[in-house]
Amino acid sequence: GWWRLKSQSYWKEIAVRRITLNQLLLAFLLVAVGVSLRMLFVEIPNFAPVAALALIAGYMLPSCILAVAVPISVMVITDLMIGTHQPLVMMSVYAMLALPALIGRPLKQATPIRSLSSLNTWRSLLALCGCVLLSSLTFFLVTNVACWRFSGWYPLDADGLVSCIVAAVPFFRFTLAGDFVFTIGFFTVYAACVNLYALAMRSSSNVPEQVTA
């Protein structure tokens, strides 16, 4: 009946999204890239690749758990070297940096990028810009509310909240710049790799088979 069909489709979807060795290797590669880039730009406040990395991880990896694990792993590894702040504030930072990983799957369904030319369409660019703005603004608002509420630096009233947000505004330009720069960079590399793979497959299919006597 209906329940049986629904159950079968559910388990089929789980099987399709099973984490494979290739996906694990890709996740490890993304984590390594993220750690390297974050440490490289650590002197520039809020200019980091983590949100963009989460978005491309959500776009490329079928498993949401694995995609979310990529930015969280980057943050944990680099924070062990850089240091952290108030735990509840850091929890909000981690959550907001993992959010783009959940946006990546709907982005792929809405605008599949199969080549560099498809990345250059208005639809793809607007979708990417929308995702970047959404993640950047959400990060800014949520983390600053958490900072106001839990850091102890501001009075817990409307004036304190306004002061917290005003103090954070100069840093938002770095957040936005980092998210845009790294998102465009990651997706350009992804589109180029897809292009090269398609060309390689086309070339191999055009190679005539040797005729054996």
Side-chain angles (χ1 to χ4, degrees):
W2 174 85
W3 179 87
R4 185 176 179 181
L5 289 173
K6 185 175 179 63
S7 178
Q8 289 175 346
S9 64
Y10 171 78
W11 288 111
K12 184 178 180 181
E13 182 179 0
I14 292 297
V16 169
R17 295 191 178 184
R18 183 177 54 193
I19 296 174
T20 64
L21 178 60
N22 287 341
Q23 292 168 14
L24 280 174
L25 292 174
L26 176 59
F28 281 122
L29 175 62
L30 291 175
V31 170
V33 170
V35 169
S36 301
L37 288 175
R38 191 182 182 209
M39 296 307 298
L40 180 64
F41 294 99
V42 70
E43 297 298 330
I44 305 177
N46 289 35
F47 187 84
V50 187
L53 195 71
L55 185 62
I56 193 71
Y59 191 92
M60 297 175 66
L61 296 169
S63 169
C64 287
I65 295 175
L66 194 58
V68 168
V70 169
I72 297 299
S73 299
V74 172
M75 289 298 296
V76 169
I77 294 169
T78 52
D79 280 345
L80 288 174
M81 296 181 276
I82 300 171
T84 60
H85 303 289
Q86 207 278 343
L88 291 175
V89 176
M90 292 307 299
M91 284 177 61
S92 72
V93 171
Y94 279 40
M96 291 303 98
L97 288 175
L99 178 64
L102 304 178
I103 303 175
R105 176 58 48 180
L107 174 64
K108 186 171 186 176
Q109 294 172 347
T111 57
I113 297 171
R114 300 186 178 91
S115 64
L116 282 170
S117 59
S118 63
L119 179 62
N120 290 330
T121 63
W122 281 108
R123 181 178 177 181
S124 297
L125 291 174
L126 286 175
L128 281 177
C129 289
C131 289
V132 171
L133 285 173
L134 175 63
S135 60
S136 298
L137 287 170
T138 305
F139 177 88
F140 176 80
L141 292 174
V142 172
T143 56
N144 280 291
V145 168
C147 181
W148 162 73
R149 179 64 180 82
F150 300 115
S151 68
W153 297 344
Y154 301 95
L156 298 179
D157 53 24
D159 290 338
L161 178 59
V162 171
S163 297
C164 179
I165 292 177
V166 169
V169 167
F171 298 97
F172 181 62
R173 57 180 176 173
F174 295 108
T175 301
L176 201 59
D179 289 348
F180 268 109
V181 168
F182 288 115
T183 296
I184 297 300
F186 289 148
F187 275 88
T188 300
V189 171
Y190 170 78
C193 290
V194 171
N195 244 10
L196 291 173
Y197 178 76
L199 288 172
M201 293 299 293
R202 199 175 306 144
S203 299
S204 62
S205 64
N206 290 333
V207 174
E209 298 182 1
Q210 294 182 354
V211 179
T212 57

